[in-house]
Amino acid sequence: MRRSMSHWAIATGLLAIVVLLLITPAAGAQPVSPTVRELVVGSVKDKQDQPVIDARVWLTNTGQDEVLVETETQDDGRFALSIDDPGAAAFQQSLTLHVERHHFEPLAMELTIEQSQDIVAWEPVALPDLVLQRRISLGFWAAVGVFVLMLVLIATSKMHNTLAALLGMALVLGLTYLGSLIVPDIYILDFEHALGYIDWNVIFLIMGMMIIIAVVEGTGIFQWLAFFAYRISGGRTWLLMAILMLITAVASAVLDNVTTMLLMTPITVQIALALNMNPLALLMPEVLASNVGGISTLVGTPTNILIGSYAGISFASFLTNLTPGVLLALTGLTLYSVFIYWGQLKKARSTVSPVLLQRLKENAQITQPAHLKKAGVVGLVMLILFLVGEGFHLTPAVTAMLGATALLVWIRPNIEEMIEAVDWTTLVFFMALFIAVGAIQEVGLISAIADTIGWLVGDNLVLAMLVIIWLGALMSTVIPNIPFTAAMLPVIGYLTSIIPGAENLSLFFCLSVGSAMGGNGSLIGASANLVTAGIAERAGYPITYSYFLKRGFPALLITVSLATLWLLLRFLVLG
Amino acid sequence: MSGIVCAIRGGPESQSPIRHAIQLAQETGETIYFVFVVNLDFMTMTASSRTHILSDQMRQMGEFILLAAQDQAMQEGVQATGSVRHGNVSEEIIALCQEIEADYVILGRPRADDQPNEFDIARLESFIGQLELQTNTRVVLADRGEPA
């Protein structure tokens, strides 16, 4: 009885709070003074017609320094100078508008006599768009230097990816806050602006998918599938290779490539050893297929997640626009792999020792069938929501978090183990990376690159598509494709806005294909390559840089060429 | 207890130590203890947080590699067992030698090419010194096998 009363008391209290909140006017809703009017309105843009946010805008009497009124530009670059009774204030007949922002040349524009008179007479004045010119500051070189340092540290594996990105972020903020005390021009961007560059859609989508993966990876499904491939291939090693490539490609489209290869590599080594063949003849095609297969979905590669969030490309759009190209590229890749490894495939023994076969069976069992079924059901619902969610504004990040939470509630795993399974270092990597990329965007490097590419390709969409695909592919062989893609997004956004016909977002799909397939060009091109090489080396079959280059680079040329053909067909012929 | 410890990774480079171990076992009548050490240091720069997934898979792979070596030894009429251990390769070999009071340990010779290897010549010599100091085991260096 007493407990029931306390529940009622809590419920009544909550209801009262809700009612009070509903009937009380918002604290911030101050009555507007009838004497304040927005008299000068306009917007500030950069040379590429992009809004310049948080620029300081102020008005002075011409030739004087005293600030009469000031404001800052909003997210859309607009500003409004709200003036209180100008006639009675210190306004003269000639006024000058000033605009100032870090990394831009300051602008001072003397208003016309008519405009000034209107303001003094308290009549609104709408100014034409103001264009700020970029300024190459010391902060520009500092931000570029920090970004290059970060790329080198990641590409050469001198430092963990996350640590390198954190170092980049720390240097940007350190130079801004501490360096600018000594040399003011070294300012890059402040913390508030830095936080604005973090794409939380990406962070939550990756986090949700990581939880799903953590459940799936413990079920033994990959090992079972690999052994299934061995069984149905019936001793035909070329068929075994093709099926393993297909499994890896499909798995990489729904999970991340690193996890796929972490789970596929050890069992593939065992199958190859049982068949007395060099495991690299199966592992290389698998990892190449993994880098290609991930491209077909929004969640298949981190680069697609970045692109999808930035450009608002849906799961269904990735699937329909890229899957045919991926299948074409995979077909070419399979033929190429069979060709280069034909000698190894022929050498395989037709029968396997019973002892080894028995161990293979044991190692390829489904270990958690109940979890697998539940993950399958949740995965199916998530797939449907990914496909149709756009219709009711359900973002992929929300779908991923809903699916992850539903799965956790359903299977009730050890929550601490699940939290440990989330790759927090990767999430921190992305957050720090966003800030490091934000820094080079802030200082104008991205604008300069966009200008250069825009100048190179002009209005030619075909040329732009070719440049983006092949630049992405070749750059991704030498620098990590995630920071490269993150840096290229605003560039592609600019090119999409200026090139006729690019509004179908074709350039973003070109970036997706180039940056992901470029990972096949070299050992350091993708994390999945390094992980596969590490495991293979531990099994006594090292994959050296030159070994990977000799087999991976031709694969890059074949797959990117085929995907290019598809993209040109899709966006220029089929429309 | 006594025996022959043979540290292998798999692959063609391990064939020579395996053959040496089998030959020695045939001469001495001792049991071979094949050992595979799981070391995931290569993950530190790329996917360090995923080592928990890989650890179990690597153990299974190691057991499979050892099983193949044991199968080979048994076909030659030699008694052999396998053991997968986790951690530092040098420390784990020394620990196993101490545990079974091994008479011999068979190691592969370092490769002269640019391929990655656990031991270069200097490190190998240092390791042999350490091994002989901490155990009463004789070290036998096997010739290189066929390149991969």
Side-chain angles (χ1 to χ4, degrees), chain A residues 209-220:
Chain A
M209 291 308 295
M210 280 175 178
I211 293 172
I212 305 282
I213 289 166
V215 174
V216 173
E217 69 193 10
T219 62

Side-chain angles (χ1 to χ4, degrees), chain A residues 288 291 473-474 476-478 516-526 529 545-546 548-557 559-560:
Chain A
L288 297 174
N291 289 328
L474 297 176
S476 294
T477 63
V478 286
M517 287 191 184
N520 278 339
S522 75
L523 184 60
I524 61 164
N529 303 350
Y545 189 90
S546 60
F548 198 101
L549 190 70
K550 277 180 200 161
R551 286 143 187 93
F553 200 79
L556 177 151
L557 296 177
T559 54
V560 176

Side-chain angles (χ1 to χ4, degrees), chain A residues 385-450:
Chain A
L385 289 178
F386 276 140
L387 288 170
V388 302
E390 192 188 21
F392 44 95
H393 309 295
L394 180 66
T395 63
V398 175
T399 299
M401 290 308 295
L402 287 176
T405 309
L407 190 57
L408 290 181
V409 170
W410 197 5
I411 65 174
R412 300 291 175 93
N414 181 329
I415 197 69
E416 285 185 8
E417 283 179 12
M418 278 295 115
I419 295 296
E420 277 177 26
V422 171
D423 189 355
W424 297 104
T425 53
T426 296
L427 297 180
V428 173
F429 167 70
F430 272 97
M431 285 189 255
L433 174 69
F434 281 129
I435 291 176
V437 172
I440 56 167
Q441 196 172 339
E442 190 80 6
V443 298
L445 177 65
I446 299 292
S447 300
I449 294 170

